[in-house]
Amino acid sequence: MTDLQTLQTELLAAITAANDETTLEAVRIAALGKSGSVSALLKTLGAMTPDERKEQGPRINGLKEAVNAALAARKDALKNAALEARLNTETIDVTLPVREPPAEIGRIHPISQVVDELTAIFADMGFAVAEGPDIETDDLNFTKLNFPEGHPAREMHDTFYFNPKPDGSRLLLRTHTSPVQIRALLTRPLPVYVVSPGKCFRTDPLDATHSPVFHQIECLAVDEGLTMADLRGAVQVFVDAMFGEGLRTRLRPDYFPFTEPSADVSMECHVCRGASTRPGGAPCRVCRSQGWIELAGCGMVNPRVLVACGVDPEKYSGFAFGFGIERMLMFRHNVEDMRDMVEGDVRFTRPFGMEI
Ligand code: PHE
């Protein structure tokens, strides 16, 4: 047996005997590494005569190839054996319960819950749901609601405007749900009883008490002979349904261009029930010891608005009220930070408990 054959037999035996990748790598380095036995043989080729090289070259290279092939085969075998071993030990128990998929963890967002609750209350009172687009014309968001061009009341709303069109008119993100009143009056046959929930936008920062995107719900009734007493009654029925019976409501004068007279609606605090302190004397945090909570803006539809919508103010009158849904959620559920409403954290929505 030549030296080369001996070496090959030894190396192949060492490769077969290697039972893990580390040992196999050590064998590879000992043979083919910089100072390995096969590398040393390859180096001798340089010093040979051409004839010797012709004879030895193929033999030495043949050895190298045989070793390489054996190394690759052994490596594969070791890999397969490792996989086989893992598959044998890591069994999957298909009888174990699977983790709850996200759909089951999700909840209807509290804002959507309240919108559903509110629309159901108004539907019971005979109001139809009316919706309008988030992007409005200046005319519907302001002018027809009796905010004339250049009127300071426009400054009450910090408005997101789009770039002006060639004719100078500008679209905007609606700043309140009141343009839906106009759309309803322009398109629906009288009498009109509608409730319109939806998103509103104002250039406010997002902080504990503000959000540039928020929700309002608006209630509009236009019929023959409606009076402030009807408005008051509707507000009371609504508060009874939302907070339980027995809380008084009060109206105080306010100003909105589209209602005349206008008022703000407050209700007795549902936590301290008007006492402004909690049992034991601690100040009530929900109403900040006021005993009352401001709930909504309201009023009798301004006859100018009726005229702008082609409704005869001699024959018809109407009332409207509108309020912020986030604000109502905050005081009804003691949510202290507006940001919780928009951040989509299920730890916030989960306690509201309503499952899909
Ligand atoms: N649109 C008013 C606001 O955003 C609220 C309101 C609605 C007032 C309807 C009166 C009647 O402040």
Side-chain angles (χ1 to χ4, degrees), residues 36-73:
S37 48
V38 179
S39 308
L41 285 171
L42 284 165
K43 277 182 209 150
T44 61
L45 288 173
M48 290 180 188
T49 62
D51 282 348
E52 283 173 328
R53 198 177 303 132
K54 231 185 204 163
E55 197 207 321
Q56 293 296 329
R59 295 181 62 204
I60 297 175
N61 275 311
L63 166 65
K64 184 184 155 192
E65 272 157 35
V67 170
N68 261 331
L71 281 168

Side-chain angles (χ1 to χ4, degrees), residues 5-86:
Q5 276 171 328
T6 316
L7 182 59
Q8 180 159 340
T9 315
E10 277 172 15
L11 286 174
L12 296 188
I15 289 169
T16 317
N19 271 331
D20 56 68
E21 292 202 32
T22 327
T23 318
L24 187 65
E25 180 63 4
V27 177
R28 188 190 68 80
I29 291 168
L32 300 166
K34 242 183 181 174
S35 34
S37 48
V38 179
S39 308
L41 285 171
L42 284 165
K43 277 182 209 150
T44 61
L45 288 173
M48 290 180 188
T49 62
D51 282 348
E52 283 173 328
R53 198 177 303 132
K54 231 185 204 163
E55 197 207 321
Q56 293 296 329
R59 295 181 62 204
I60 297 175
N61 275 311
L63 166 65
K64 184 184 155 192
E65 272 157 35
V67 170
N68 261 331
L71 281 168
R74 186 68 191 144
K75 202 169 179 176
D76 260 5
L78 286 176
K79 242 196 205 141
N80 287 338
L83 181 63
E84 193 70 20
R86 269 187 63 192

Side-chain angles (χ1 to χ4, degrees), residues 272-340:
C272 67
R273 305 194 85 79
S276 77
T277 53
R278 307 265 287 263
C284 179
R285 279 174 54 195
V286 172
C287 63
R288 296 204 175 77
S289 299
Q290 301 296 303
W292 293 87
I293 295 172
E294 274 186 35
L295 187 65
C298 73
M300 299 306 291
V301 179
N302 193 318
R304 286 165 163 274
V305 172
L306 296 177
V307 170
C309 297
V311 177
D312 178 3
E314 297 298 325
K315 192 169 173 207
Y316 290 97
S317 57
F319 66 78
F321 60 99
F323 52 89
I325 290 173
E326 280 82 352
R327 229 186 76 74
M328 159 163 301
L329 258 176
M330 286 173 84
F331 69 73
R332 198 172 78 153
H333 297 277
N334 236 335
V335 178
E336 295 197 337
D337 197 317
M338 182 83 145
R339 286 167 286 204
D340 288 335

Side-chain angles (χ1 to χ4, degrees), residues 44 69 78 86 92-93 103 149 165 175 178 207 223 231 284 287 312-313 327 331:
T44 61
L78 286 176
R86 269 187 63 192
I92 296 169
D93 182 353
E149 212 66 66
K165 293 202 241 179
T175 56
S178 301
D207 62 27
D223 202 343
L231 165 61
C284 179
C287 63
D312 178 3
R327 229 186 76 74
F331 69 73

